[in-house]
Amino acid sequence: MPGIDLHTHSIVSDGQHRPAELVDLAAKAGLSAMALTDHDTMEGLEEALEAGRTHNIEVIPGCELAVVDGRRQLHILALWLRSPALTLQKALTALRASRHERNRIIVEKLRQNGVNIEYDEVLSRAQGAVGRPHIAQILLERGVVRTSDEAFKKYLGRQGRAFAAKQELSMDAALALLKAEGATVMLAHPYLLGENGKAMEELVRRYHDMGVDGLEAYYTEHSTLRTNEYLQIARKLEMQVSGGSDFHGKFKPQIQLGIGRGKLHVPEKVLDDLKEYRRGKGLWV
Ligand code: AMP
Ligand code: ZN
Ligand code: FE
Ligand code: FE
């Protein structure tokens, strides 16, 4: 049974592969559809869509955004995003610009902690939205840390010595921008919300009320039990479901396209249902 992967990253953010290469890999892995969801940019979408036509695999154009909701920080996936209006383009440009300011602060804090890297070196590793994984990669190659995870724990993560925040849109602002584009918006890797049971259900309900369409029930880090819990919440709240690996190539080497850590399988029905939902709203698929 072929599967799909609706959460992937390419070199235009913190993935390893060119968008076209990624689409080729997805086709070779036997997937029937994939979404390209780079952080803060739609730069890779045209290339991916074109490659999808060549490799005969359905490509859904999307992106991933980090948003804030009060004290909470979370990621959302926008699917079926194309020909962005100027307002969205400007918002994404501002987010990418703020990454540069943030990264310079990180490099300075690293220096204060005895780790000397140049920002130009960071830039040379990135071809789009520059992120902490690019910095982690340098620390890894320098032998400053042994794993990317250690880089985040010690330096780059929220509790790390060199942490600096980047600008993020509010959930409301992001939803207003994305819904105006006719995108379908999902809560990415919902396990990171850190809620369970009734509390999780109430939180998801709140986001649904704000305009979120569904949640990424199938995800690399979700056990079958967790996936089923999220499927149940989605059913109860009449919300949509998506699924993906969050493939980043060498930037998250333990994660494979389509199958995550080996056990992930996102059924084709997930995409069929999402398309049915969009058609019902008169949106393109
Ligand atoms: P940034 O977009 O620069 O804020 O970096 C956030 C990205 O770093 C996330 O989207 C993940 O892809 C990655 N990331 C976050 N935490 C970790 C971790 N502990 N280990 C490896 N990668 C991580
Ligand atoms: Zn990423
Ligand atoms: Fe994410
Ligand atoms: Fe992601």
Side-chain angles (χ1 to χ4, degrees), residues 33-101:
M34 64 157 270
L36 180 63
T37 54
D38 277 304
H39 301 280
D40 300 345
T41 182
M42 296 174 62
E43 186 71 36
L45 300 182
E46 277 314 315
E47 183 181 320
L49 287 166
E50 176 62 34
R53 289 186 281 269
T54 318
H55 297 289
N56 198 25
I57 168 172
E58 182 167 3
V59 173
I60 290 102
C63 82
E64 181 172 18
L65 293 181
V67 299
V68 285
D69 169 48
R71 293 179 57 189
R72 208 178 264 285
Q73 285 175 303
L74 62 154
H75 291 183
I76 55 175
L77 295 168
L79 299 174
W80 284 279
L81 198 54
R82 72 173 180 203
S83 334
L86 204 58
T87 42
L88 178 59
Q89 285 185 41
K90 279 187 176 164
L92 294 178
T93 304
L95 291 175
R96 293 194 300 271
S98 128
R99 284 175 172 275
H100 288 297
E101 290 168 34

Side-chain angles (χ1 to χ4, degrees), residues 9 14 39 64 133 246 248 252:
H9 296 269
D14 52 10
H39 301 280
E64 181 172 18
D246 212 353
H248 284 73
K252 283 190 183 175

Side-chain angles (χ1 to χ4, degrees), residues 49-181:
L49 287 166
E50 176 62 34
R53 289 186 281 269
T54 318
H55 297 289
N56 198 25
I57 168 172
E58 182 167 3
V59 173
I60 290 102
C63 82
E64 181 172 18
L65 293 181
V67 299
V68 285
D69 169 48
R71 293 179 57 189
R72 208 178 264 285
Q73 285 175 303
L74 62 154
H75 291 183
I76 55 175
L77 295 168
L79 299 174
W80 284 279
L81 198 54
R82 72 173 180 203
S83 334
L86 204 58
T87 42
L88 178 59
Q89 285 185 41
K90 279 187 176 164
L92 294 178
T93 304
L95 291 175
R96 293 194 300 271
S98 128
R99 284 175 172 275
H100 288 297
E101 290 168 34
R102 185 272 305 251
N103 293 336
R104 285 182 201 285
I105 297 172
I106 292 178
V107 167
E108 180 51 37
K109 285 190 175 179
L110 282 170
R111 204 189 309 276
Q112 287 162 10
N113 280 278
V115 181
N116 287 299
I117 63 171
E118 298 294 327
Y119 191 49
D120 280 349
E121 194 179 346
V122 178
L123 288 180
S124 74
R125 304 302 175 101
Q127 292 187 29
V130 192
R132 286 177 287 169
H134 298 113
I135 301 174
Q137 190 70 20
I138 296 172
L139 300 184
L140 197 63
E141 286 173 23
R142 288 277 187 86
V144 175
V145 294
R146 271 170 309 174
T147 62
S148 174
D149 207 46
E150 188 186 340
F152 274 84
K153 280 213 179 75
K154 241 184 180 160
Y155 299 106
L156 306 171
R158 195 147 279 280
Q159 315 296 335
R161 295 171 209 163
F163 177 78
K166 64 177 187 289
Q167 185 206 317
E168 287 167 356
L169 293 170
S170 70
M171 179 66 119
D172 277 319
L175 282 169
L177 282 167
L178 298 171
K179 289 326 228 5
E181 304 291 322

